[in-house]
């Protein structure tokens, strides 16, 4: 993580006298790309998600106390861990890094490398938590660049299509990448996601390297027609239009080869009433988009059974689109 400032305009905004000295925050998993919108669309789900417990302590500095649920894969070094590195960056820009002590417990409820925005959920939970501890000096729009820096640290590329919905909730469009321009889109109330995570590891960094950086104009025409159709469908709450628009001709054909049984899972989903089916983020999780919860449950059960019969273990999640984003949870202790 560089020492460069993300924002020069936030120095002096923090209130160190704020009364809260510990906080527990949940941030949701996300389905980036929303099948047809590579790097520009994404939505949050109610579960799974990650949790951060953060404590103000007398000794200055930012430290990781513990990480649960990562099988020892994430660094405890506060400069290398994405959550603490982003917290440090924010405190530096606020001008208080040397004056405050912060300790962090990270509890991961979802697998790393799943295609569900695992690193984004942790980063967003961490940044939301530090902002809350300081009395909310920053708006969500002001927190967003720090979340994107976390994504850059986690996977080598600062795409915002996971962190934006994790922070804002709902469906988000990244209209501009360089000059970050995040737009919240309407969420039709019966829009559900049936997610299946087959137990294979597909790191985002590698899944991105596979993709060609040139596309055919005829494919681009299909893709931007689909993206525009999806957005119109969201505004009109037109589930049928949403379904026929969520097709990816640019990325899916390349990435599908990394996911076992991808085309069989797609057949099962569509034959059982899903509006659409595709890769969640960079995979290997896959997502069936459905109208209502019941179809999402049926589809995920059938896909799980199909994978089990081929000795492929999987996790499954059924969720409405989460419109809230991160939330403060009570402490149990
Ligand atoms: N848009 C990103 C990708 C999401 O597809 O590589 C993964 O985090």
């Amino acid at each position: 993580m560089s020492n460069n400032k993300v924002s020069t305009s936030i120095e002096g905004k923090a209130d160190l006298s704020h009364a809260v000295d510990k906080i527990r925050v949940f941030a949701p998993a996300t389905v980036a790309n929303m099948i047809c919108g590579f790097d520009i669309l994404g939505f949050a789900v109610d579960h799974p998600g990650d949790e951060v417990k953060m404590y103000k302590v007398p000794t200055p500095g930012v430290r990781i106390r513990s990480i649960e649920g990562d099988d020892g894969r994430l660094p405890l070094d506060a400069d290398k861990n994405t959550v603490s590195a982003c917290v440090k960056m924010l405190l530096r820009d606020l001008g208080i890094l040397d004056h405050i002590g912060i300790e962090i417990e990270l509890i991961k409820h979802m697998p790393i490398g799943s295609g569900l925005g695992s690193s984004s959920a942790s980063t967003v939970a961490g940044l939301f938590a530090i902002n809350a501890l300081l009395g909310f000096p920053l708006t969500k729009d002001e927190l967003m660049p720090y979340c994107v820096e976390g994504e850059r640290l986690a996977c080598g590329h600062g795409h915002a299509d996971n962190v934006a919905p994790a922070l804002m909730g709902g469906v988000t469009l990244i209209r501009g990448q360089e000059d970050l321009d995040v737009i919240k889109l309407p969420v039709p109330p019966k829009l559900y996601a049936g997610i299946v995570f087959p137990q294979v590891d597909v790191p985002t960094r590698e899944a991105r390297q596979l993709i060609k950086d040139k596309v055919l104009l005829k494919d681009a025409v299909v893709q931007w027609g689909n993206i525009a159709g999806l957005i119109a469908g969201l505004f009109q709450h037109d589930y049928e239009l949403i379904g026929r628009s969520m097709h990816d001709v640019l990325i899916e054909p390349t990435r599908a080869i990394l996911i076992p049984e991808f085309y069989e899972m797609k057949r099962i989903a569509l034959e059982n009433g899903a509006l659409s089916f595709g890769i969640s983020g960079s995979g290997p999780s896959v997502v069936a988009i459905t109208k209502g919860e019941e179809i999402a449950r049926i589809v995920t059960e059938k896909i799980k059974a199909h994978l089990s019969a081929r000795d492929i273990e999987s996790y499954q999640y059924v969720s409405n689109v989460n419109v809230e984003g991160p939330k403060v949870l009570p402490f149990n202790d």
Side-chain angles (χ1 to χ4, degrees):
M1 180 74 53
S2 81
N3 285 347
N4 292 341
K5 282 173 176 279
V6 172
S7 166
T8 48
S9 60
I10 64 169
E11 193 162 348
K13 272 192 158 194
D15 172 12
L16 279 182
S17 67
H18 193 259
V20 179
D21 60 3
K22 66 176 185 177
I23 198 140
R24 178 176 169 216
V25 169
F26 167 90
T30 43
V31 174
N33 300 338
M34 231 175 152
I35 300 181
C36 57
F38 178 70
D39 276 1
I40 66 165
L41 290 172
F43 66 87
V45 289
D46 282 335
H47 59 92
D50 283 350
E51 228 184 276
V52 159
K53 291 181 184 169
M54 194 173 280
Y55 305 83
K56 242 193 256 178
V57 294
T59 312
V62 176
R63 291 169 290 278
I64 303 274
R65 275 190 194 170
S66 61
I67 305 176
E68 279 175 39
D70 69 326
D71 293 325
R73 289 171 68 181
L74 296 177
L76 287 159
D77 179 334
D79 288 321
K80 297 200 175 114
N81 183 285
T82 314
V83 176
S84 42
C86 287
V87 168
K88 286 183 79 167
M89 187 167 41
L90 179 67
L91 294 174
R92 191 177 294 117
D93 284 2
L94 286 165
I96 56 171
L97 179 59
D98 299 330
H99 310 290
I100 188 167
I102 295 292
E103 294 188 353
I104 298 169
E105 294 170 4
L106 172 60
I107 302 115
K108 296 209 61 79
H109 295 293
M110 73 176 120
I112 299 166
S114 55
L116 294 173
S118 173
S119 56
S120 302
S122 298
T123 302
V124 166
L127 285 165
F128 190 87
I130 187 67
N131 198 41
L133 268 189
L134 296 172
F136 293 101
L138 301 193
T139 63
K140 282 188 174 181
D141 284 339
E142 289 172 319
L143 277 182
M144 185 65 74
Y146 296 90
C147 299
V148 176
E149 277 308 304
E151 200 67 350
R152 197 186 310 283
L153 185 67
C155 72
H157 187 271
H159 50 269
D161 53 345
N162 286 113
V163 286
L167 182 64
M168 300 294 186
V171 180
T172 54
L173 163 69
I174 316 299
R175 195 218 49 85
Q177 307 276 338
E178 295 302 322
D179 269 334
L180 195 60
D181 188 359
V182 178
I183 295 157
K184 276 194 84 166
L185 298 174
V187 179
K190 293 184 188 152
L191 203 60
Y192 269 76
I195 296 167
V196 177
F197 170 34
Q199 293 294 281
V200 289
D201 208 359
V202 178
T204 297
R205 206 181 284 259
E206 284 156 40
R208 292 187 77 84
Q209 282 163 358
L210 271 185
I211 300 168
K212 293 176 281 187
D213 57 7
K214 290 197 170 62
V215 299
L216 292 175
L217 184 60
K218 72 176 178 55
D219 292 338
V221 170
V222 173
Q223 198 88 358
W224 61 53
N226 281 336
I227 294 168
L230 170 56
I231 289 171
L234 293 172
F235 271 92
Q236 294 168 8
H237 292 202
D238 182 338
Y239 294 90
E240 203 276 323
L241 174 57
I242 290 169
R244 71 174 189 272
S245 302
M246 290 179 91
H247 294 288
D248 172 17
V249 297
L250 297 182
I251 312 295
E252 182 178 295
T254 309
R255 283 184 169 168
I257 54 175
L258 297 173
I259 301 171
E261 301 294 312
F262 178 81
Y263 290 104
E264 272 305 292
M265 293 192 282
K266 186 170 196 165
R267 183 188 59 73
I268 292 168
L270 297 178
E271 280 181 7
N272 285 281
L275 298 167
S276 175
F277 179 89
I279 302 171
S280 174
S282 55
S285 287
V286 290
V287 60
I289 304 297
T290 66
K291 182 179 180 182
E293 186 173 355
E294 196 189 341
I295 295 175
R297 291 210 179 277
I298 292 168
V299 165
T300 50
E301 284 300 333
K302 287 191 185 252
I303 291 177
K304 187 178 174 63
H306 176 85
L307 293 176
S308 282
R310 282 149 191 83
D311 290 328
I312 303 166
E313 288 307 309
S314 63
Y315 294 108
Q316 63 201 106
Y317 310 97
V318 170
S319 175
N320 213 340
V321 175
N322 167 303
V323 291
E324 190 182 3
K327 63 180 175 197
V328 175
L329 299 177
F331 269 83
N332 306 324
D333 49 19

